[in-house]
Amino acid sequence: MSTRDQHGRGRLRLPAPRPRTARLAAALALAAGLTAPLAPAAGEARAADDDGKRVLTVAVAQSVDSLSPFLATRLVSTSIHRLTYEYLTDYDVKDARAIPGLATEWAPSADKLTWTYTIRSDAAWSDGRKVTAEDAAWTFNTMMTDPDAATANGSFVTNFEKVTAPSPTELVIRLKKPQATMTALDVPILPRHVWEKVGDYSEFNNDKDFPVVGSGPFVLTDYKPDSYVRLEANKNFWRGAPEFDELVFKYYKDGDAAVAALQKGEVSFVGNLTPAQAEALGNQENIKVNDAPGRRFLALAVNPGARARNGEEFGDGHASLRDQRVRHALFLAVDRKTLVDRVFRGHAVEGEGYIPPRFSTYYWEPSPDQELAHDPAEANRLLDEAGYRRNGDGRRVGEDGEPLTYRVLCHATDPNDKAVGQYLKEWWGELGIGMDLECLDNVSDPWLAGEYDLAFDGWSVNPDPDFVLSIHTCAALPATPRDTGATDNFICDKKYDDLYARQLAEYDPAKRADLVKQAVSRLYDLGYMNVMAYPNAVEAYRTDQIASITTMPEQAGNIYGQDGYWSWWSAEPAASAGSSGGTGSTGVVIGIVAGVVVLAGVGGFLAMRRRATAEDRE
């Protein structure tokens, strides 16, 4: 799945080996399926006060769309689910290859249409019951038969023909045709004995009865809208318990306030830093800045004319944007180098295709004659060709004589959106096109309704790109204008759909990568999505409170928003960490701020549950 995370250069180095570090190394070896977990050494010291819980507080600035894995798409939500539910397979922290999760091994049949997974016998739900293959079968079957349960991750099961559990440790999935994502099914496995009692999956937000039964390294124990999500360490987690007793995602409204709290020692980790914040923190004592290549892109999304699968159109997107020449003209006016240099101050690379360069297997670059490089002269020519001539005031007008002015949805909490928006306003103004930058706390409502012209969009891409490709297929459109689909931007193109289907069915890695690049190329040419930059993951933490924490990948990787739970599961309190305020608990209070985020209430959940924009998704 996908979302907003920022990344950067350099590597976080772990401290010299210690008993805990050795245990972490053993646990990471276990994550790769190499060994069994080691028990803590006798008398092993833990970096915390003796008279309180060790609490690691994560302050976020992104609204939780849902705490139900069937519905959640935003990064903060899916990050919580990564921590509380296991998947069949996980991603190796070093190279993102598939490693055992709930499944210890897996194998396809000769015709590649039947996959058999061995479910581990040493995993338990947090209420003490054993995790079985029946839980996994029930999860997938529910997504296959209930459209509401398929809201977030339905693309993974569309090709499933039958899922059974012949025994507690054997899961069998029969496919309609080959599917290349069978070792990358990013679907949280749910406890059947809890979830089969739910009546309506479209309305169940999983936020009323605590603790929430899960199987991951943490257990969800409390949630207060606009305040916090609280998790406790799962002492019976099969890989070994986390070092911290509690993990709290806490609301910080203002990014500067979060940085100030880091400087005071009131929090220990700040993510989604602006370049100015990162530079100010870079030389401060006991603070380490992590600047690593990102897994996210920042794009402009054009409203192609919102429509449903039944053919009904809705929304009020500007009709001129249905002309490819107009879309290309807008993108030809964008100077990506200027954005990287002046907005991100070098903490990003210029955008091209839909897959960030971090994922080299699928990374695609346009050919010189295909590239929509900065070329205002060509942009003006295309607008002239499309019939949008300048009036006496220099404004581009249509046949009705009305000047072209576009509404651009912007996230009010993201300073980068606002900064990029000002450059776009200037560049499009030189083309004779007006722009209204509409920065909102909640972009979900107008986006779902198709009431926008363009919008800032972005996803954090997984090692397997299938999900972010699937959200641009015709099948992802809502069934009717009154329904919520999985679509990101109402794109529906038959040629793209064909390429998507072919890559999904291709098991040969090289051939599949080529098909993915062809699909990305088609998306680029259509001009409904234009990637402007790949932002770095720019984060900072207090070294006097966090002794070590795992980045992903281990060399030059990010901490927040990983493809897994490695960072928070592995985090070790520093021996010098003392009590600090912020959660009301005694003992060590470690703070994390992942951007400028709001843990929003569930009141608007039905209208918001699917949107995953630049602030969303994992």
Side-chain angles (χ1 to χ4, degrees), residues 39-362:
E44 183 182 74
R46 308 188 73 171
D49 283 356
D50 294 330
D51 50 338
K53 290 184 177 179
R54 293 154 302 197
V55 181
L56 189 153
T57 301
V58 182
V60 288
Q62 182 185 53
S63 57
V64 169
D65 53 344
S66 177
L67 291 175
S68 164
F70 284 148
L71 304 174
T73 57
R74 294 188 173 181
L75 180 63
V76 66
S77 310
T78 57
S79 294
I80 291 168
H81 293 144
R82 282 276 187 189
L83 295 165
T84 53
Y85 299 100
E86 264 284 27
Y87 297 26
L88 287 182
T89 60
D90 289 320
Y91 295 106
D92 185 86
V93 74
K94 294 184 178 66
D95 55 15
R97 64 186 174 85
I99 60 173
L102 283 182
T104 59
E105 56 187 41
W106 46 87
S109 58
D111 62 3
K112 306 291 180 69
L113 292 176
T114 301
W115 284 73
T116 302
Y117 301 81
T118 300
I119 303 300
R120 63 176 60 257
S121 59
D122 59 347
W125 297 109
S126 54
D127 64 0
R129 294 203 189 189
K130 282 280 189 181
V131 178
T132 69
E134 183 57 38
D135 293 304
W138 180 88
T139 300
F140 292 127
N141 280 313
T142 301
M143 294 169 60
M144 292 162 61
T145 57
D146 189 318
D148 293 318
T151 299
N153 300 310
S155 63
F156 289 110
V157 302
T158 303
N159 185 45
F160 286 13
E161 182 176 281
K162 186 179 182 181
V163 182
T164 59
S167 77
T169 58
E170 184 180 3
L171 176 72
V172 179
I173 300 177
R174 177 73 179 174
L175 304 173
K176 300 172 186 176
K177 56 186 178 182
Q179 180 169 324
T181 61
M182 297 307 288
T183 60
L185 297 174
D186 293 317
V187 177
I189 302 303
L190 302 179
R192 175 176 182 171
H193 65 282
V194 174
W195 283 78
E196 66 182 354
K197 300 173 185 176
V198 175
D200 186 344
Y201 293 114
S202 71
E203 297 184 356
F204 182 68
N205 197 51
N206 198 29
D207 66 344
K208 295 296 187 293
D209 297 323
F210 300 103
V212 173
V213 178
S215 60
F218 291 91
V219 178
L220 179 58
T221 58
D222 196 12
Y223 168 58
K224 183 178 180 181
D226 297 311
S227 186
Y228 63 83
V229 176
R230 187 181 302 277
L231 305 100
E232 292 185 2
N234 182 356
K235 303 301 183 183
N236 297 316
F237 182 51
W238 68 271
R239 288 195 199 274
E243 192 75 2
F244 284 90
D245 299 306
E246 287 189 0
L247 174 63
V248 179
F249 289 79
K250 188 178 180 182
Y251 167 57
Y252 261 75
K253 184 176 182 179
D254 181 76
D256 287 333
V259 169
L262 180 79
Q263 293 170 317
K264 296 175 184 176
E266 295 172 353
V267 301
S268 286
F269 180 102
V270 178
N272 196 23
L273 295 172
T274 66
Q277 290 169 340
E279 290 163 13
L281 293 172
N283 296 318
Q284 295 194 18
E285 186 178 3
N286 296 324
I287 292 179
K288 168 74 174 180
V289 174
N290 180 46
D291 188 357
R295 54 184 284 248
R296 175 182 168 260
F297 61 81
L298 173 65
L300 271 177
V302 175
N303 184 343
R307 55 177 160 163
R309 289 202 304 273
N310 66 0
E312 288 188 64
E313 296 187 358
F314 56 97
D316 60 2
H318 203 292
S320 65
L321 293 171
R322 301 191 185 191
D323 190 323
Q324 185 186 52
R325 293 169 296 185
V326 175
R327 300 194 299 270
H328 281 188
L330 293 176
F331 299 149
L332 286 165
V334 176
D335 186 345
R336 290 165 178 75
K337 185 177 187 304
T338 292
L339 295 181
V340 168
D341 291 345
R342 298 185 183 177
V343 175
F344 294 100
R345 298 192 193 178
H347 299 273
V349 295
E350 294 180 38
E352 294 173 317
Y354 197 58
I355 310 296
R358 168 166 161 173
F359 303 108
S360 57
T361 299
Y362 302 107

Side-chain angles (χ1 to χ4, degrees), residues 47 76 81 93 100 152 205 211 308 321 365 390 448 483 497 518 523 567:
V76 66
H81 293 144
V93 74
N205 197 51
L321 293 171
E365 298 176 84
R390 294 181 187 264
L448 283 170
D483 294 309
D497 274 16
Q518 290 182 51
L523 194 61
S567 55

